[in-house]
Amino acid sequence: MAETSGTTESGPGAGTGPGTGTAPGQSGSGGPRKSSWKYIGPGIVVAATGVGAGDLVATLIAGSKFGYTLMWAAVIGCLVKISLAEAVGRWHLATGRTLFDGWRTLGGWTTGYFAVYVVIWGFVYGATAMSSSALPIVALFPDGPGLKTWAIITGLIGLVFVWFNQYAVFEKVMTVLIGVMFVVVVYVAIRVVPDVGASFAGLLPVLPDGSLVYTLGLIGGVGGTITMAAYGYWVNAKGWSDSSWMKVMRIDNRVAYITTGIFVVAMLVVGAELLHSSQIALTKGDRGLIDLGQVLEDRFGAGTAKLFLVGFFATSFSSLIGVWHGVSLMFADFVERIRAGRGDTGTQTADEGEAGSATVGRQERSVPFRAYLLWLTFPPMTLLWLDEPFGLVIGYGVLGAFFMPFLALTLIWLLNSSRTPREWRNGWLSNGMLGGAGLLFVVLCVQQVRDLPW
């Protein structure tokens, strides 16, 4: 989606031999000789991680309130995410440096922000992810253990899975989970019989009264989290380590977010057809999907309802293990850069440019990676019994609201500077998309902060 100022797909570093990122079946002039489709993977991971149960509920509620009118916002949101993820992947491949390494060149303030953010965010998110994964299990097995027990079990399963498996296995499991999500969501959308004419009419930009917040949420919310920043780390974990993989990365990214766009459209259809016409209101947050399960059971029977709950679990658990893996990788890189104590000179040594599956494989076994895994799993379990402290809720909300503007605006800074090789710097389209995304996320940030329980 994003455009660079160069016209070639291969850049500095394209070639063959060790350290160049060339794999069997890949030509030295950049990209595989055969179809690039078989290499797809990191984009699927980031898409599956970024779409959580809460995002699907927000989309359902938008559909229930405004029918198909906001379909255009879902399409724009998909394009925004493609541009952001492409920029993250392009930075990693064009420079051979990680995103956090790039942030550090912008000043110490980036380190301070990320350090506070990743600690508070991880504490609160851990409890949220475990509860979200437990909700559909409780609904499927109402006579079994309660929500807290299932939440702890899902957290421990996520911990053990990520602890003992490296990226290749992780990607395969995430692919299966997103396949389940896709099939279930699209199946439900087909069952409710979408109004095709109204769907196409919804592509015309219109803002009904009271729809601004929902519109901004559709464009900026679904699939837009810290895991977008983890995309570059998953690209490296795949073994893509230089600009010869740029074309493959772009195909991977587009396929992933087009898939995400289909999710969003399908949930809008369900909201419009199943809820809008009947004026059925859903509970906000993850529990809204339990409400939808009951509506589906009343309308289509227990089989469809149970299938939907399986899809709900796949959505939630893919986000859980995606964060457990991706954000732990970012934290490991964060600690590694701090320990190295390198100056923010804008230059890099051979060690700083080290990237690819070997580096990520080492980080997956590192103490910081596993320490953050433990932080995501055990301390958040206390929040399953306690109401979230007021100050923690405020801190989590503010830091989380600022992350997406931080990501968009720092990418513009990095990709327009001498830190990026000239042929891979932003073109007008990239700057326009990232600038628009940055402005959108600033507005969303202000709205989120205003909505906090001050």
Side-chain angles (χ1 to χ4, degrees), residues 146-228:
L147 180 68
K148 294 183 180 65
T149 302
W150 278 119
I152 291 171
I153 290 172
T154 58
L156 292 175
I157 291 173
L159 170 69
V160 171
F161 172 75
V162 175
W163 189 290
F164 290 105
N165 289 290
Q166 292 188 291
Y167 177 79
V169 175
F170 166 71
E171 182 189 285
K172 287 181 174 65
V173 172
M174 291 292 278
T175 302
V176 170
L177 290 172
I178 201 172
V180 173
M181 291 163 57
F182 186 89
V183 169
V184 170
V185 169
V186 172
Y187 168 75
V188 172
I190 292 171
R191 283 298 302 269
V192 301
V193 189
D195 184 332
V196 177
S199 298
F200 281 106
L203 296 175
L204 181 67
V206 174
L207 274 178
D209 290 341
S211 67
L212 180 60
V213 172
Y214 294 95
T215 303
L216 292 174
L218 277 176
I219 296 174
V222 181
T225 67
I226 187 176
T227 53
M228 293 199 72

